[in-house]
Every structure is written in C-alpha cells, then in structure tokens.
Amino acid sequence: MEPDDAEALWRWNNDPDVMRWLDDGYPESLAQVTARCEQRERNSYEHVIFGIETLAEKRLIGLVKLGDATPETGDAELDIYIGEKDCWGRGYGTEATRLICRYGFDKMRLHRITLWVADENAPAIRVYEKAGFVEEGRARESFRRDGRWHDMVMMGLLEGELHR
C-alpha cells in the first residue's frame, strides 16, 4: 500500500455497502487518510499489509492484512476486504485469502491465523470456509449495524489446513 492509494481507501471507507460488515469507526477526510498512509509503518513481522490488485489491469481493488503476529505463539489475525464493488463475487477475495495465508505460514512461519466476521456476512464466511477456516467461537451481540446487534464469529486456520 502506497500513499497514492489513499483516495481509493477513502472512497471505500465512505461507501456504506463496502463497510456494511466492517467496523468503520469515525469518518476521516481524504487529507487524514492520506496522512495516515504516508505515516504508515513499514511491514514487519507484527503487521503486514498488502494491496489486492487485479493481474490484468494492475488495478487496486482491496487490501489484506496480517496483524498482531507474535513469534512466541505463531499466531496472527487476518483482515481483508474488497473495496471495488464491481469485483465482488469474482473470486478475488478467495484468492487473496489463500495467498496471504500461504504467505503467513510459509514466510512468517505462523502456526495459526484467526479472523472475526459478522454472523450475517455469508459471502465472507463462504470465502473463509473455502480456504479452510472453521468456526471456533462467537462473541454474542458484539457488533451493531442498522440498529441491530449481531454475533461476531471467530474463525481459525491452522498450518497444514489451508485448502489450495
């Protein structure tokens, strides 16, 4: 991710469809997002973030992150989203999930990758299950959207369980 990507991030973060099942926090101006992108720390073992691009056009369509990685436990948390809505349902999320998990297991020597997903986000849950993630627990009524509380589902993937 580069500072030049700030406009796309700002646009995605202000699109209610894209942010539907994500914790969107408080609104930021384009200048604030640009400053955050310019000040972002370089990738490290504890935190890696990559843009998701189409192969044909080299178009930025989303982002993927492994964060809170600890070498003592070999554990990291996955965050991913496709911000370009015309790319939804075309396999980009599944491919990016598999690639970042392979990177985590092969390059970072992780043993376990976890994630949290809203219980009603069926498309995302399908993507994660295709990659081999399984439900491991729930935080009941811990995410509020449109005046309703939703469970957050914890899913996990162990080294050797990744579906290729």
Side-chain angles (χ1 to χ4, degrees):
M1 300 295 298
E2 300 290 341
D4 291 347
D5 299 327
E7 188 279 326
L9 293 172
W10 177 80
R11 187 169 33 84
W12 300 337
N13 291 343
N14 285 287
D15 185 323
D17 294 332
V18 173
M19 300 310 289
R20 171 117 179 98
W21 297 115
L22 300 174
D23 183 9
D24 50 2
Y26 292 99
E28 290 182 299
S29 68
L30 178 56
Q32 289 170 314
V33 174
T34 301
R36 192 164 35 89
C37 287
E38 289 171 349
Q39 296 166 4
R40 187 178 71 77
E41 293 182 30
R42 57 184 289 213
N43 284 341
S44 66
Y45 183 86
E46 292 81 18
H47 175 92
V48 294
I49 185 169
F50 298 106
I52 301 170
E53 292 183 344
T54 61
L55 290 176
E57 304 95 13
K58 301 292 184 206
R59 175 180 164 214
L60 181 69
I61 62 168
L63 63 88
V64 63
K65 176 178 86 170
L66 285 174
D68 299 324
T70 56
E72 295 83 9
T73 61
D75 188 31
E77 189 166 323
L78 171 67
D79 289 311
I80 180 172
Y81 73 98
I82 304 297
E84 297 296 339
K85 294 188 282 190
D86 64 324
C87 294
W88 290 359
R90 297 180 54 196
Y92 293 114
T94 301
E95 180 69 12
T97 298
R98 287 181 177 137
L99 287 171
I100 194 66
C101 289
R102 189 172 306 126
Y103 179 87
F105 293 133
D106 294 347
K107 299 292 185 188
M108 297 172 67
R109 291 184 234 146
L110 295 173
H111 177 66
R112 170 184 178 72
I113 298 172
T114 59
L115 61 86
W116 289 91
V117 60
D119 61 349
E120 289 190 31
N121 190 350
I125 291 171
R126 275 195 305 277
V127 165
Y128 304 140
E129 288 174 341
K130 282 189 221 175
F133 282 86
V134 296
E135 182 176 332
E136 294 184 337
R138 284 178 178 256
R140 297 178 305 140
E141 296 185 6
S142 60
F143 181 78
R144 188 171 172 87
R145 185 63 73 213
D146 300 329
R148 290 185 42 230
W149 287 100
H150 301 273
D151 291 356
M152 290 297 289
V153 177
M154 180 188 176
M155 299 183 80
L157 179 70
L158 299 176
E159 184 178 13
E161 294 178 340
L162 180 62
H163 297 170
R164 309 236 175 208

